[in-house]
Amino acid sequence: MIVNNSLDEVKKRENALSVIKGIVENKGRDHLFDLTGLAGGFIASKDELSLLETYIGPAVFEEDLQKVGIEHMGGEKIFPLNRTSSGILATILALVEEDSYVVHYLPKLPAHPSIPRSCNLVNANYLEFDDFEEFYIPENTSLVVVTGSTMDLQVIDEEKFKKVIDAAHSQNIPVLVDDASGARLRTVIFNQKKACDLGADIAITSTDKLMPGPRGGLMAGREELVNKIKAKANQFGLEAQPPSVLAMLNGLKAFNGDALIDSFSRKDELYDLLSKDYDIFEKTPNGVMLSPEKLASYLDTDLCDSDLSFILSMILLKEEGIITIPAVSMPGASATIRFDLSTQDAVKLELNQLINKINSSFDMLKEVIKNKEKCKEIVFN
Ligand SMILES: *Cc1c(COP(=O)(O)O)cnc(C)c1O
């Protein structure tokens, strides 16, 4: 294997970031197309930036974030965190007892790794189900987790969502919703309710997913639980810092579901164009994706599936300036390559231009997979 473990993934990510820096410095930001759907952003005025001091920043911006955050997420109280993963960790540290069960229902595996990893830290027993018929809550369960939309943007069925919440509540078990992208995808595209309005006790979303905000986690929920989780998060430094809080606030204010809705129809066009040459792409709600398994089925090679994804993702970046998640992701993230059409960069890219970039990258991929050393060089140097 080329990318063998978390250390390799960090090395790959560092390489991707230095490629990005090189493109920005040598060619300009216009030569990069961030199609990750995690484009993020940092909207802030000069006056706001001048208030970014350790105690003054939170006093001003966290207060405003309460109102804007509750409009976006529902619930009684908002708590901003460094990442969604930090919010999941803080919740599990605060609410889950050793040896108890944490039961997770999600529309499709795999779960975000922060959930099982956090359970592991507190020595809880973790069960996960993507088949609703098999889902059950054992005795001695301290938390039920529901994922609203998975890393690969598979969206939960709202009826099942409600049933899982009701089942947990009938046993007085709190429900945490991992709504990283779901808080927007489910509500805007699928017309579902906010997780807190469906009865979730705690919901958390990623403020750089499908909205122009910074990497961060926005938690909402029942005040009493949020307070408990906040105390735990503060003990371990998991809370968002004032600059992120400011950018979350402005990102939420600037969020507009129209780009998400447009990408919903444009992805059909992209899918049809790609399907003329490849039968390996799948639709996502707002773009197309290529799983490592499908990519491997298309190529004649003994390289492993995820390595092929990493190599293609790095070629897309180095040769075409297209940023997709496998190149830049943190260890353990999904190796699926997604082309998300709801981001600002996607809007300025013609679909034909994008197809040409994908075609050229595939041509190069077919060549380089004949030479493992060359593949390593593409991923790590
Ligand atoms: C992105 C994502 C996360 C983690 O978000 P971070 O901000 O990177 O910690 C968790 N769960 C799901 C379903 C995600 O898509």
Side-chain angles (χ1 to χ4, degrees):
M1 271 180 87
I2 295 175
V3 178
N4 248 319
N5 50 39
S6 294
L7 280 178
D8 286 347
E9 288 191 68
V10 170
K11 208 168 136 200
K12 163 224 69 172
R13 175 177 149 86
E14 284 179 356
N15 182 31
L17 296 184
S18 85
V19 170
I20 291 173
K21 182 166 188 275
I23 295 176
V24 171
E25 287 175 354
N26 299 321
K27 296 184 181 167
R29 170 67 181 85
D30 288 354
H31 289 257
L32 280 171
F33 304 93
D34 186 335
L35 304 188
T36 59
L38 284 129
F42 198 98
I43 306 170
S45 70
K46 272 211 168 112
D47 287 349
E48 289 169 331
L49 289 173
S50 70
L51 289 175
L52 285 181
E53 297 167 50
T54 303
Y55 295 109
I56 297 176
V60 179
F61 305 124
E62 282 206 37
E63 193 63 43
D64 294 348
L65 189 67
Q66 287 300 324
K67 182 166 164 280
V68 177
I70 287 172
E71 270 166 32
H72 192 73
M73 297 290 287
E76 298 167 356
K77 183 164 181 170
I78 292 293
F79 174 43
L81 293 119
N82 185 44
R83 282 175 53 186
T84 288
S85 300
S86 325
I88 289 168
L89 172 61
T91 304
I92 289 173
L93 288 174
L95 305 183
V96 175
E97 277 148 43
E98 189 166 344
D99 291 330
S100 68
Y101 281 88
V102 172
V103 191
H104 183 190
Y105 176 72
L106 70 171
K108 190 157 187 271
L109 290 164
H112 191 271
S114 62
I115 302 169
R117 283 177 185 162
S118 301
C119 290
N120 208 8
L121 270 184
V122 298
N123 288 323
N125 304 303
Y126 172 73
L127 293 179
E128 60 185 14
F129 301 92
D130 65 356
D131 182 345
F132 184 72
E133 301 305 318
E134 288 177 8
F135 174 82
Y136 77 103
I137 302 177
E139 257 179 51
N140 191 21
T141 294
S142 46
L143 182 69
V144 169
V145 181
V146 181
T147 291
S149 157
T150 65
M151 292 185 282
D152 292 333
L153 303 184
Q154 299 283 331
V155 172
I156 194 170
D157 171 87
E158 198 176 31
E159 285 309 306
K160 291 178 182 154
F161 200 162
K162 282 190 224 161
K163 283 184 184 159
V164 172
I165 292 175
D166 290 346
H169 285 174
S170 70
Q171 299 180 45
N172 289 321
I173 300 164
V175 177
L176 162 68
V177 176
D178 174 358
D179 230 3
S181 56
R184 287 159 296 292
L185 192 56
R186 288 190 310 99
T187 56
V188 174
I189 302 279
F190 293 87
N191 291 315
Q192 294 188 11
K193 287 195 176 145
K194 297 177 170 73
C196 292
D197 292 346
L198 288 171
D201 301 280
I202 295 289
I204 176 151
T205 194
S206 294
T207 54
D208 63 344
K209 289 186 178 165
L210 311 174
M211 63 170 274
R215 185 110 191 225
L218 185 76
M219 177 178 287
R222 278 173 38 212
E223 181 160 6
E224 170 216 343
L225 285 181
V226 173
N227 288 341
K228 211 167 155 184
I229 295 164
K230 188 171 179 177
K232 191 59 92 173
N234 289 152
Q235 286 170 11
F236 292 96
L238 303 172
E239 74 280 358
Q241 297 305 302
S244 300
V245 175
L246 165 60
M248 282 181 191
L249 174 65
N250 287 336
L252 285 171
K253 284 185 186 163
F255 172 68
N256 165 346
D258 292 347
L260 214 53
I261 292 167
D262 285 348
S263 66
F264 194 60
S265 55
R266 205 164 163 239
K267 66 117 193 295
D268 290 323
E269 212 184 318
L270 176 62
Y271 178 81
D272 291 343
L273 286 168
L274 281 170
S275 297
K276 288 184 193 156
D277 293 314
Y278 311 91
D279 59 357
I280 49 177
F281 285 88
E282 295 166 78
K283 291 183 188 180
T284 68
N286 55 347
V288 301
M289 68 176 187
L290 174 56
S291 70
E293 299 74 33
K294 286 268 161 88
L295 176 58
S297 73
Y298 175 80
L299 298 163
D300 183 19
T301 169
D302 51 15
L303 288 168
C304 80
D305 301 0
S306 59
D307 279 345
L308 292 169
S309 273
F310 290 127
I311 299 165
L312 179 58
S313 185
M314 289 300 290
I315 293 174
L316 283 161
L317 172 60
K318 286 182 163 172
E319 305 299 319
E320 308 295 339
I322 293 183
I323 306 176
T324 53
I325 289 175
V328 291
S329 61
M330 308 277 180
S334 162
T336 294
I337 297 179
R338 282 199 279 119
F339 299 94
D340 188 307
L341 295 180
S342 66
T343 55
Q344 270 170 337
D345 285 359
V347 174
K348 67 184 191 206
L349 195 61
E350 299 275 341
L351 288 186
N352 276 325
Q353 237 182 318
L354 176 56
I355 300 273
N356 289 340
K357 285 173 174 292
I358 294 173
N359 284 337
S360 314
S361 302
F362 263 98
D363 289 345
M364 183 164 174
L365 178 67
K366 285 182 207 156
E367 267 315 299
V368 300
I369 54 175
K370 296 174 191 159
N371 180 343
K372 195 168 171 194
E373 284 312 306
K374 179 84 192 146
C375 292
K376 278 191 182 161
E377 193 185 312
I378 287 174
V379 173
F380 295 124
N381 303 300

